[in-house]
Amino acid sequence: MALVLNEEQTMLRDSARGLIGENAPVSHLRQLRDSRDAVGFSRDLWRTFAEMGFSGLLVPEEFGGSGLGCVEAGIIMEEIGRTLAPSPFLSTAVLAASALKRAGSAAQKSEHLGRIARGELVASLAVDEGVKHRPRHTALQATRSGNGFRLNGAKGFVVDGHVADLLIVAGRTAGAPGEAGGLTLFLVDPKSKGIAVERTVMVDAHNAARITFDNVDVTADGVLGEVDQGGTLLEGVLNVGRGAVASEMLGAAEEAFGRTVGYLKERKQFGKLIGEFQALQHRAAHLYCEIELTRATVLKALQLLDADVDTAAAAVAVAKAKAGTTGTLAVQEAVQMHGGMGMTDQFDIGFFMKRMRVCQELFGDSNFHADQLARLKRY
């Protein structure tokens, strides 16, 4: 399959670029941060996403969505990365929609997928419990109680968890932390008795939450997929999310690079444009090549996810690891080449560095995915 966008995908990219660029530039993120906005994103913009069909990209047509795939979701995420736009697109339109589409019962799909497509529901995936992404080490206990389960434990780094209308929670119904088996996914109402949500504003001015579960009762109807068999489902959903985050990192890296090249063409030193200095030209050329390589790895991973999500793990690991290293290089070079003002809060380039650092950790950093690839290839 060619590693280029087709005509329809190019049109989607142009549409998303215009909408997000006009309505959510970096100044939009800055305004939300400085005003200490309680939501952390624009609900008006999210409704516009729904009207444009973006929130329902992965939702089947029978539930009001577009029935498209990961490549199209990646296109939206790349444009989000260009402006650092805070949006529940990742948590809701990508992760939650993927989980419900893959494993939801007829009743669960009917109840939630249509609302996601219409922009009426914000959902969050609650997986991580420690300082690093290690889904197999899930320790939140889900013990049988009556006709359902009782949840006890805590989750952190829950993207958009502070405003979620629905939580998809990974719990352990069998085995011990570190084992691949024994995991189950649950659909949980965040307003249920025993749930405590603490908003955490991250260094990049985006939002996540810490969520504590204290004897939270979930009925059998809240089980997503099969009991004790949620590990495979969770890994597939996470891989879709990893591909999406890699796309966002690609967009942020390319925008940081473009801003840096523009500065090299304007800033003068010793009577010459600094872009004329060969050392900076070499560094810019190297970064350009790395971004193009990353673009190919990310698009390939998204294409393989659309073909068969269960066999795309290796390609996703390569894409997320490569996006992490390239994105880190891009923002570091951007800050350095902008000199002293690159370190100031008044200048936008620092926002890209902060967002890239958070995206590195989200769903596994470059080291995590290098290890994943090694294990998959039996190194």
Side-chain angles (χ1 to χ4, degrees), residues 59-317:
V59 175
E61 293 182 15
E62 62 185 293
F63 299 105
S66 304
L68 297 176
C70 293
V71 172
E72 288 77 13
I75 289 170
I76 304 299
M77 287 298 296
E78 185 175 339
E79 298 310 315
I80 286 174
R82 288 180 182 276
T83 69
L84 309 179
S87 165
F89 183 82
L90 173 64
S91 61
T92 303
V94 176
L95 294 168
S98 295
L100 288 162
K101 181 174 68 173
R102 291 194 68 203
S105 65
Q108 289 169 342
K109 291 179 179 179
S110 178
E111 180 179 0
H112 300 301
L113 285 177
R115 295 184 64 203
I116 288 176
R118 294 190 297 273
E120 299 172 356
L121 177 75
V122 174
S124 295
L125 179 65
V127 178
D128 292 322
E129 299 178 7
V131 295
K132 285 289 186 179
H133 177 68
R134 296 190 300 174
R136 286 192 176 186
H137 287 72
T138 295
L140 184 143
Q141 287 296 313
T143 55
R144 290 195 177 272
S145 176
N147 71 333
F149 294 83
R150 181 162 291 171
L151 309 184
N152 282 282
K155 298 289 184 181
F157 207 5
V158 182
V159 178
D160 295 321
H162 67 300
V163 291
D165 305 302
L166 177 69
L167 298 173
I168 301 177
V169 182
R172 184 161 292 283
T173 47
E179 297 181 7
L183 295 180
T184 304
L185 296 186
F186 299 92
L187 300 179
V188 182
D189 183 349
K191 296 183 177 64
S192 298
K193 182 181 178 181
I195 293 181
V197 178
E198 177 190 358
R199 179 188 182 187
T200 56
V201 180
M202 296 184 289
V203 67
D204 62 344
H206 286 64
N207 295 279
R210 297 187 184 96
I211 304 180
T212 303
F213 300 81
D214 183 11
N215 291 322
V216 177
D217 290 321
V218 182
T219 67
D221 292 336
V223 174
L224 183 64
E226 300 293 328
V227 175
D228 295 341
Q229 306 301 314
T232 300
L233 169 62
L234 177 61
E235 188 65 16
V237 173
L238 285 172
N239 278 335
V240 172
R242 289 160 180 161
V245 174
S247 298
E248 181 181 356
M249 297 172 82
L250 172 62
E254 187 165 42
E255 179 66 18
F257 174 71
R259 290 177 178 228
T260 303
V261 170
Y263 183 71
L264 295 180
K265 295 178 179 179
E266 297 173 356
R267 177 76 166 98
K268 285 188 175 182
Q269 196 172 56
F270 307 116
K272 294 181 64 176
L273 294 171
I274 62 174
E276 296 180 30
F277 299 150
Q278 194 173 60
L280 297 185
Q281 291 176 353
H282 288 170
R283 288 165 64 177
H286 170 65
L287 179 54
Y288 173 81
C289 293
E290 291 299 305
I291 289 174
E292 290 305 305
L293 286 171
T294 303
R295 182 180 306 283
T297 62
V298 171
L299 182 54
K300 184 63 176 180
L302 296 173
Q303 290 174 345
L304 291 176
L305 283 168
D306 283 334
D308 185 358
V309 69
D310 294 322
T311 61
V316 171

Side-chain angles (χ1 to χ4, degrees), residues 19 23 39 41-56 86-89 115-122:
L19 173 67
N23 293 279
V39 175
F41 64 88
S42 169
R43 291 194 182 274
D44 289 338
L45 181 57
W46 183 236
R47 283 191 286 269
T48 303
F49 266 46
E51 292 168 3
M52 295 288 289
F54 296 166
S55 61
S87 165
F89 183 82
R115 295 184 64 203
I116 288 176
R118 294 190 297 273
E120 299 172 356
L121 177 75
V122 174

